[in-house]
Amino acid sequence: MANRGGFSSRLGFIMAAAGSAVGLGNIWGFPYEVGQGGGAAFVVMYLIFCFVLCYPVMVTEIAIGRKTQKNPVGAFNALGYKKWNFVGKMGIFSGFLILSFYNVIAGWAFGYVYEMAIGNFDIATHFSEFTQDVFKVGAYGMVFMATTAYVVSKGISGGIEKAAKFLMPSLLIMILLIVGYALTLPNAMDGLRFYLVPDFSEINTQVVINALGQAFFSLSLGMGALITYGSYVNKKENIVSAAAFITLADVGIAVLAGMMIFPLIGFMSGGAMDNVGSGPGLIFETLPEIFGTIGGTFGAVAGTLFFVLLCFAALTSTVSLLEVPVAYVVDEKNVRRSRAVWLVAGAIFLIGIPSLLGNGYSEFFSKFITYPGSETATDFLSFIANVANDTLLPLGGCLIVFFAAHVWKKHNLDEELSHGAPNYKGSFLQKYLNFAVGYLAPAVLGFIFVITVLKTYFGISIF
Ligand code: PFF
């Protein structure tokens, strides 16, 4: 077999996988989902999903990847279950969809680096004009996709791992500094209360669907990204502890992102938290405000630095999104890595164009679909996010755990997990994972998948 490359160290893998998980999903997606649905009640649902259901899915994905040393389609073949490789194909398709819109948002973040550098804090109130300037933001997106392709073309340890190791810790420090500052602003506590004190009457079917979709998206699960990263991990690695670290890091950054945004919304609205559902523009409208309150050169430097780091967080995620189809094409179709990378990246950029146009520039894509039972139209980008994040990822996760427990069999999974984790067998964690992977996760994920399809695409609520 050709040398596929691999992570050079334990830390390298953890940082790269955490880099995949931590991205726009945490800093852009999480706060806006919290704002749109349920506040702290959403946060509670999200945390439960991450630890109880998603962590077992993550462990399973990494184990399948390491066992087979293959991309998500090749992995099912290598285990001898070719019929199941449709799960891998579905994952690759989801990755295509996700990267197509993700890159558009990353392009916005990239554009904000410049806006902050010139001290244009007013952009907070001109965000929709910014997104409608499609040639400009399209160019930013193109540069972002090209950068992603460049890193992926450099291979595993040379590109992905190196970037992640340095940038992730820097982002954390920057966020902590901003949280500290935001908390000192007037009315910050009103925002914090909305974010942290749950009102469980806010929970409804839609909140559950969104929280699950957000958990999968944020942890990069359900599409084989971690099967792919797992395929580059060596046998000495302790998968269960690495996955625990990745989950904690990802959830931790999301929670901190909320502590950064909500106090700021409290400050801006004078404490009124009844209108925070501004949607995908949320961070682009609130964050410049905080740098504006700092003001002057210092505000501009802080703002620039923040969006630079956000771009890097997005980059370690786009890299993993691109790596999935690339690994597939390289392994299964025998295409050279460098060639595969540019072909796939170009195709995904093109698929992303409707998402780019659907933010006010094109009426058709901005009001792309009106779901049954809804009064308002959904734009193309949000539609793709609903299809990929809320529908396909949980379905993929459900099928992966079901496959691992009942087709590949639990004892094989346990065997793989015990490499690098000598105390795993017989532990409480093993018992829990057996139960979660075998029964809890397939049942709950399957059930929520059915509810999601009925509610979102047919307008039928059974609750
Ligand atoms: N987890 C990334 C984020 O939260 O920004 C997005 C993502 C990356 C999703 C990789 C899926 C994936 F395979």
Side-chain angles (χ1 to χ4, degrees):
M1 196 176 82
N3 183 4
R4 300 170 73 245
F7 291 110
S8 66
S9 66
R10 175 183 160 77
L11 186 68
F13 162 66
I14 292 186
M15 286 312 228
S20 166
V22 175
L24 295 171
N26 307 60
I27 294 160
W28 157 79
F30 179 72
Y32 106 70
E33 294 271 6
V34 174
Q36 269 188 338
F42 175 96
V43 179
V44 172
M45 290 303 306
Y46 166 81
L47 292 175
I48 294 174
F49 284 145
C50 284
F51 291 113
V52 176
L53 294 180
C54 291
Y55 170 70
V57 177
M58 182 182 291
V59 167
T60 308
E61 280 203 31
I62 301 174
I64 292 177
R66 184 174 70 177
K67 171 77 190 170
T68 59
Q69 314 264 299
K70 285 275 192 278
N71 66 84
V73 173
F76 289 96
N77 298 346
L79 291 174
Y81 302 98
K82 234 181 150 135
K83 271 201 199 129
W84 279 83
N85 77 15
F86 77 93
V87 178
K89 289 185 181 148
M90 195 174 84
I92 291 172
F93 177 66
S94 312
F96 254 75
L97 294 183
I98 294 177
L99 183 52
S100 77
F101 77 76
Y102 199 93
N103 190 64
V104 172
I105 321 279
W108 298 345
F110 187 41
Y112 264 50
V113 171
Y114 172 75
E115 302 297 336
M116 293 298 103
I118 60 169
N120 180 17
F121 306 119
D122 277 351
I123 193 145
T125 49
H126 296 98
F127 175 66
S128 63
E129 289 144 53
F130 174 79
T131 58
Q132 284 174 38
D133 192 346
V134 292
F135 292 99
K136 187 171 80 182
V137 288
Y140 284 130
M142 197 182 275
V143 174
F144 205 89
M145 186 65 91
T147 312
T148 304
Y150 177 76
V151 176
V152 175
S153 74
K154 288 283 156 208
I156 299 305
S157 60
I160 300 178
E161 191 181 317
K162 256 194 208 140
K165 260 189 199 161
F166 165 70
L167 296 165
M168 302 302 299
S170 315
L171 179 71
L172 177 63
I173 293 169
M174 185 81 193
I175 292 177
L176 285 173
L177 290 174
I178 300 177
V179 170
Y181 178 75
L183 288 176
T184 64
L185 296 169
N187 297 107
M189 290 309 139
D190 297 307
L192 212 54
R193 200 167 309 117
F194 169 83
Y195 179 49
L196 296 178
V197 182
D199 168 2
F200 288 108
S201 67
E202 291 279 333
I203 293 188
N204 56 35
T205 312
Q206 196 58 49
V207 170
V208 171
I209 294 174
N210 293 349
L212 184 71
Q214 176 60 25
F216 266 82
F217 178 70
S218 183
L219 291 164
S220 306
L221 292 177
M223 52 160 276
L226 290 174
I227 295 183
T228 308
Y229 272 21
S231 76
Y232 303 116
V233 171
N234 82 40
K235 290 276 183 205
K236 287 193 284 255
E237 180 70 70
N238 180 335
I239 293 178
V240 283
S241 75
F245 177 85
I246 297 162
T247 305
L248 281 172
D250 186 63
V251 169
I253 299 261
V255 169
L256 282 174
M259 311 246 327
M260 174 170 86
I261 309 286
F262 290 103
L264 186 61
I265 297 177
F267 165 68
M268 280 158 54
S269 65
M273 295 304 290
D274 37 23
N275 195 20
V276 290
S278 79
L282 183 64
I283 69 155
F284 295 99
E285 290 158 350
T286 52
L287 284 175
E289 198 91 14
I290 199 165
F291 301 117
T293 64
I294 303 172
T297 314
F298 191 59
V301 171
T304 310
L305 194 61
F306 178 82
F307 281 99
V308 167
L309 290 171
L310 182 60
C311 284
F312 279 117
L315 185 66
T316 51
S317 301
T318 53
V319 155
S320 71
L321 282 160
L322 184 59
E323 176 61 27
V324 175
V326 165
Y328 168 69
V329 176
V330 171
D331 288 351
E332 306 296 312
K333 309 277 173 212
N334 276 324
V335 178
R336 242 185 324 118
R337 187 174 187 86
S338 53
R339 200 184 154 92
V341 166
W342 293 99
L343 281 175
V344 175
I348 296 179
F349 181 79
L350 294 179
I351 297 173
I353 289 179
S355 294
L356 175 72
L357 302 181
N359 297 284
Y361 181 82
S362 144
E363 169 90 9
F364 176 73
F365 289 118
S366 303
K367 301 206 161 108
F368 185 68
I369 188 169
T370 305
Y371 291 126
S374 164
E375 264 130 53
T376 47
T378 299
D379 63 279
F380 190 83
L381 192 156
S382 306
F383 168 67
I384 295 293
N386 292 150
V387 171
N389 307 1
D390 301 348
T391 317
L392 293 177
L393 295 185
L395 175 63
C398 175
L399 292 170
I400 289 169
V401 280
F402 181 86
F403 167 83
H406 302 288
V407 181
W408 184 38
K409 303 284 186 226
K410 277 183 213 159
H411 66 92
N412 288 315
L413 176 65
D414 278 341
E415 187 59 40
E416 186 56 35
L417 292 176
S418 58
H419 289 296
N423 301 328
Y424 174 66
K425 279 198 180 156
S427 67
F428 171 75
L429 189 61
Q430 183 206 7
K431 293 194 180 76
Y432 175 70
L433 285 176
N434 267 319
F435 167 67
V437 173
Y439 307 103
L440 184 68
V444 177
L445 294 175
F447 182 63
I448 300 181
F449 169 73
V450 173
I451 293 182
T452 305
V453 172
L454 290 176
K455 167 112 179 51
T456 310
Y457 309 105
F458 295 96
I460 302 170
S461 279
I462 40 181
F463 291 103

